[in-house]
Amino acid sequence: MTTRQNERDVMNLITYLRLRYLKNVLKDDSGQDLLEYALLVALIALVCVGVITSAGSGVKTIFTNITTELTTAATP
């Protein structure tokens, strides 16, 4: 009889803890907002890297053309 009472007490304690603390943990969504901002920053950084890489190739082509024209103009 005491074993059943002990089991019931343990189950009541587990139920109490689950209702008291786990509910608060599941309702806490502040970490979710932080994750969304982190994903947004990562996406913006990825787009910036792509744009800078693309623009860098274009700038390199422009300077190569300028160098070629200056070399051609300087040759007598």
Side-chain angles (χ1 to χ4, degrees):
M1 185 157 180
T2 59
T3 305
R4 277 202 174 277
Q5 184 63 36
N6 287 342
E7 289 175 359
R8 193 173 301 136
D9 289 343
V10 169
M11 291 304 293
N12 286 338
L13 177 65
I14 291 171
T15 303
Y16 171 76
L17 291 174
R18 185 182 302 156
L19 291 175
R20 175 82 177 184
Y21 296 104
L22 189 59
K23 184 171 70 172
N24 291 336
V25 169
L26 293 176
K27 281 187 172 183
D28 184 18
D29 62 352
S30 61
Q32 181 180 359
D33 294 337
L34 183 62
L35 178 64
E36 290 172 356
Y37 286 126
L39 288 173
L40 187 63
V41 167
L43 180 64
I44 290 171
L46 186 63
V47 169
C48 287
V49 167
V51 168
I52 290 171
T53 302
S54 175
S57 299
V59 170
K60 181 179 178 183
T61 303
I62 290 171
F63 278 112
T64 302
N65 291 341
I66 291 172
T67 303
T68 304
E69 291 294 325
L70 289 175
T71 304
T72 305
T75 308

